[in-house]
Amino acid sequence: MQNEVPWVGVVWFSQAIPRHSFVMWLIVNRKLKTQDVMQAWSASGNANFNLMCCSLCTSGPDSHEHLFFECGYASEIWNEVKVKADMGEISNQWQAIFDYLVGIANSKKASHVIAKLLVSAAAYFVWDERNRRLFTTKRRSKAQLVDVIFSTVRLKLQTMRFRRSVQTERVLRDWSLPRGLILADDDNG
């Protein structure tokens, strides 16, 4: 049996959205089929990966580091998401984002759960948009993608219950959530 990895609470937590967790697991384990990974497979030399580029910003091949969140398109998404996640000081580099998340992985604070939900939703939808652009003619603007991320997380938050606190009041206000999501005092037991 293997030891538990320090990032388990970043990827697999009770409030997580399963498909987002799966993509996060792929990202953490560097298993996404980005162009840098596919280039390593090309022993035959039939494919010219030098001609391939990021479908989001078209400035170089996509890789884990580029796609999450150094790409110009993804960076603009991240800049909006990180403010809502109370991660304004975190840079647009996956390692910095990941290190922060590992530090809050087991926290039950609403703001930390929301940060994990937002990062995994952003990663999921950036990956989805990358694939949309590679395999279809459909495209979403940055504003549309940010709206999808926030709407998805807001819907998830509506299924949760929160303990009464000043922080909870702020979360409900910031996300325009009903006060009915606060546990009654006799439910806090």
Side-chain angles (χ1 to χ4, degrees):
M1 186 155 143
Q2 293 182 344
N3 293 333
E4 189 173 287
V5 292
W7 50 260
V8 69
V10 172
V11 175
W12 310 111
F13 55 103
S14 62
Q15 302 87 353
I17 299 169
R19 62 186 167 157
H20 297 185
S21 291
F22 180 68
V23 169
M24 283 292 285
W25 181 84
L26 290 171
I27 293 168
V28 168
N29 286 292
R30 300 186 58 79
K31 299 289 185 187
L32 286 176
K33 304 306 181 240
T34 53
Q35 294 170 10
D36 61 332
V37 171
M38 293 187 302
Q39 189 171 15
W41 299 343
S42 182
S44 66
N46 290 339
N48 186 351
F49 286 94
N50 293 327
L51 298 176
M52 297 181 82
C53 63
C54 173
S55 61
L56 299 174
C57 70
T58 66
S59 66
D62 69 356
S63 65
H64 284 81
E65 289 77 18
H66 176 77
L67 202 54
F68 307 107
F69 292 98
E70 296 173 17
C71 156
Y73 179 93
S75 179
E76 288 186 39
I77 302 297
W78 174 239
N79 286 335
E80 289 199 42
V81 169
K82 72 181 179 180
V83 171
K84 194 84 164 167
D86 287 334
M87 295 173 64
E89 300 300 316
I90 309 298
S91 74
N92 294 17
Q93 296 175 321
W94 176 250
Q95 192 60 52
I97 297 164
F98 181 70
D99 289 345
Y100 173 80
L101 293 175
V102 168
I104 64 165
N106 298 316
S107 173
K108 302 286 188 222
K109 285 180 63 176
S111 61
H112 293 161
V113 171
I114 291 168
K116 293 187 295 185
L117 285 168
L118 279 166
V119 172
S120 62
Y124 174 85
F125 285 111
V126 164
W127 179 248
D128 179 64
E129 184 65 20
R130 176 253 193 204
N131 289 333
R132 255 178 195 253
R133 291 176 182 213
L134 275 177
F135 303 114
T136 73
T137 58
K138 297 177 183 176
R139 293 178 175 271
R140 289 180 284 207
S141 70
K142 295 168 199 138
Q144 288 172 317
L145 201 63
V146 168
D147 187 50
V148 167
I149 293 164
F150 289 164
S151 295
T152 300
V153 171
R154 186 175 184 279
L155 285 171
K156 180 62 181 177
L157 292 174
Q158 289 180 325
T159 69
M160 297 166 54
R161 297 292 176 255
F162 301 91
R163 295 196 187 279
R164 185 178 311 279
S165 72
V166 172
Q167 182 193 32
T168 297
E169 296 292 338
R170 185 180 64 98
V171 166
L172 296 179
R173 187 177 53 254
D174 289 352
W175 287 91
S176 302
L177 296 170
R179 290 188 45 78
L181 298 179
I182 297 176
L183 293 169
D185 288 334
D186 57 350
D187 291 340
N188 289 331

